[in-house]
Amino acid sequence: MNYDLQRLEIAQGVDIWKPTADMLHDPNVLPQSSPCEAVFLGLPLGECGGVLMANIAISRLATQGSVYGNHEATHGADATAQQEAMGVRFGDSPDIIPANSLYVISAHGAAPSVGAAANERGLQLFDVTCPLVHRTHRAILDAPAKGPSHVAYISFGKPEHPELVGAAGLAEEAGIPFSVLGGESDIDGLLAEVKDGETITIVGQTTNNSDEATILARQIQGRARERGITVAREKSHDVCHTVRDRQLSAREIVAVYNVGALVVVGSVNSKNTKSLADVAAKEAISRELPLTIYLANSWGQIPSIEGRVGVVSGASTLAQNVHGVIDRLAPTNGVIKVGEDTDRGIVFSPVDTKTRGLFEDEDKARRRS
Ligand code: SF4
């Protein structure tokens, strides 16, 4: 069977290719015919701490009973497929799940009513919300502590992204005014909503393009100041470190290492993976460098690539998929690492005590070491 990559040309000299739907289901379709010259590998690589924690928790729970999730634990297509093969079901409403089943809130978090509905149904609740998403939730809930506040949430993705849905639901249930901004054109709407005496608190989705989030936050601050509105920016609560550092590595690979191609390894429905392609494309355009970007979830979704090739990975990508891509590229001059592995040594603990119990052995081992 013949498969074609889909070409999305975005500017003169910069192309993005993505696999067709058929290719997503058959990982072995595009043979590599010749080795590339060298691979420039962006760090951090593979799953971030939050995704790893969620995947481990779900696979442990799957040995204990019937597991249901409010939605996929992460956006890693392979991890989700593995969990579904273990019998885990995602997306069912608590109303139809048998009592006593195990119910997992995903790494993206959820509004409190989701957990309440699960408790009411008699489900055993486990919360694998990433601690960094949880920190954003705390920032939203703490916003009114110093007086009336309106939360401005920066998100460039789809309105149905679970992280945005969870944050918006949390604010709504707590009665905190909340607006979503995806660009400068949304600022007028925000300012029209803010009432006299309210402060604007800016937070953001953890997986945004960090440059664009910073620019939009500054635009909000500037326009609000003109209107005499005080703005608090929760700097530590927006783009998470692992997403930001992967983006920095992608930019460095394009800007410094003269690569002709960049493979972005990750799931097609992962926002932070798509952001990597976005920042790399923008870097190439701004420097007028030709670049071909391949979005691929696994080694079978890239064609034969010659020359110097960059490889970066989304935060929900299994590390084994990144290694599979490198093996496939078979670089004759080896692999050069770019950036810092800032995920190394960081171990996330679940925010929920019951879920923490699933990691007791590791915690004891950590205390001993
Ligand atoms: S990408 Fe960042 S916010 Fe999302 S799960 Fe990983 S560490 Fe947490």
Side-chain angles (χ1 to χ4, degrees), residues 221-243:
Q221 281 168 317
R223 296 273 302 280
R225 261 193 223 116
E226 287 167 13
R227 298 267 302 270
I229 301 169
T230 307
V231 177
R233 179 158 187 224
E234 297 294 339
K235 254 193 156 174
S236 59
H237 299 302
D238 47 24
V239 179
C240 92
H241 75 274
T242 194
V243 170

Side-chain angles (χ1 to χ4, degrees), residues 60 355-369:
R60 286 182 185 172
T355 313
R356 257 199 314 270
L358 296 169
F359 292 83
E360 246 171 16
D361 291 346
E362 282 100 326
D363 285 347
K364 279 182 196 147
R366 276 209 301 270
R367 276 199 289 276
R368 274 200 298 271
S369 61

Side-chain angles (χ1 to χ4, degrees), residues 48-51 107 130 132-133 206-207 240 242-243 272 315 348:
C48 63
V51 168
C130 171
L132 300 185
V133 174
T206 56
T207 51
C240 92
T242 194
V243 170
N272 80 83
F348 283 173

Side-chain angles (χ1 to χ4, degrees), residues 238-273:
D238 47 24
V239 179
C240 92
H241 75 274
T242 194
V243 170
R244 181 203 59 215
D245 294 343
R246 284 160 208 259
Q247 292 173 5
L248 287 174
S249 294
R251 289 174 61 179
E252 186 178 340
I253 289 169
V254 173
V256 178
Y257 293 99
N258 193 26
V259 294
L262 180 75
V263 182
V264 179
V265 192
S267 191
V268 285
N269 58 341
S270 159
K271 172 79 173 21
N272 80 83
T273 302

